[in-house]
Amino acid sequence: MNYPLTNKFFILLISLCLLIVGCQSNPEITRVEANIRRVISAQTIEVIINNQTYQFRLMGLNTPNRQQQPWGKEAKEVLVNLLTLEGKNSLNSTTVILETNLETKDKFNRLNGYIWYNNQLINQKLLEQGYGLVNLTYTDGKYDQQLLQAQSYARIMEKGIWNPQKPLREINY
């Protein structure tokens, strides 16, 4: 049996669905200026964007948590140092550039993305100093190679958690 009208309707319906899906705008990652309010952990900071406070998670890496001592505390201190100008005692009024999607938040209500400060990718610097593990699960792929190279450098140089004299241990909860 031949159903030419049904086939044409089916093709038209599929085409319309594809057109609708293709026209939907995906929120894009944009660069936005922000002031740092405080560092919560080695991978989460609090920032102020247009007089509104947000929590922001560094994308592309996982860092030791607070229970993994001394690494959790040390990693947080390294992030504070990376975000503090020489000669300044405080993070307050430190201005950074965030690459993020302001419309999308993770399950902890945080923005995710990359931090630029003094023309340096802070996500990469944290890995270079050995205070994190690359996690490319939710990245956009833009800096994946840089992050992987930074982790490799830290491993080869035995920095931070890669130091064989005091390696990071996994915690069982």
Side-chain angles (χ1 to χ4, degrees):
M1 299 186 115
N2 191 0
Y3 300 101
L5 190 55
T6 306
N7 287 341
K8 288 179 184 178
F9 178 75
F10 181 72
I11 291 171
L12 179 63
L13 182 63
I14 295 296
S15 298
L16 285 173
C17 289
L18 290 173
L19 180 65
I20 290 170
V21 170
C23 289
Q24 291 178 346
S25 62
N26 291 335
E28 301 258 340
I29 290 186
T30 59
R31 292 177 76 104
V32 62
E33 196 171 278
N35 289 327
I36 299 200
R37 185 162 181 217
R38 69 185 175 118
V39 173
I40 297 170
S41 70
Q43 66 188 26
T44 304
I45 62 173
E46 199 168 79
V47 296
I48 300 170
I49 304 170
N50 297 327
N51 295 320
Q52 191 167 358
T53 302
Y54 298 91
Q55 287 194 357
F56 183 88
R57 185 191 188 283
L58 281 73
M59 184 184 290
L61 58 104
N62 289 329
T63 60
N65 63 41
R66 294 177 197 152
Q67 291 80 25
Q68 293 173 300
Q69 293 306 329
W71 296 113
K73 183 178 178 184
E74 285 183 26
K76 180 180 175 181
E77 288 172 8
V78 167
L79 182 58
V80 168
N81 291 334
L82 287 169
L83 296 171
T84 304
L85 278 174
E86 288 181 36
K88 278 181 69 173
N89 296 333
S90 168
L91 285 172
N92 291 339
S93 76
T94 298
T95 301
V96 295
I97 301 296
L98 304 178
E99 283 188 42
T100 188
N101 176 339
L102 293 171
E103 298 175 28
T104 304
K105 295 182 180 176
D106 66 12
K107 65 182 180 179
F108 300 106
N109 202 33
R110 300 175 295 191
L111 298 172
N112 290 272
Y114 306 103
I115 301 175
W116 288 90
Y117 181 62
N118 283 343
N119 295 318
Q120 296 182 58
L121 180 57
I122 299 301
N123 310 50
Q124 176 184 352
K125 290 294 178 187
L126 198 56
L127 288 167
E128 272 178 7
Q129 293 191 25
Y131 288 95
L133 297 170
V134 171
N135 178 354
L136 304 178
T137 306
Y138 300 106
T139 67
D140 61 357
K142 187 174 183 180
Y143 301 110
D144 288 1
Q145 287 307 309
Q146 285 174 251
L147 299 176
L148 288 166
Q149 288 171 356
Q151 177 178 280
S152 293
Y153 171 80
R155 289 180 77 175
I156 290 167
M157 300 306 290
E158 298 180 345
K159 292 179 161 246
I161 63 173
W162 305 108
N163 180 343
Q165 302 306 314
K166 58 176 198 180
L168 175 68
R169 301 282 185 227
E170 186 176 326
I171 291 181
N172 297 319
Y173 294 98

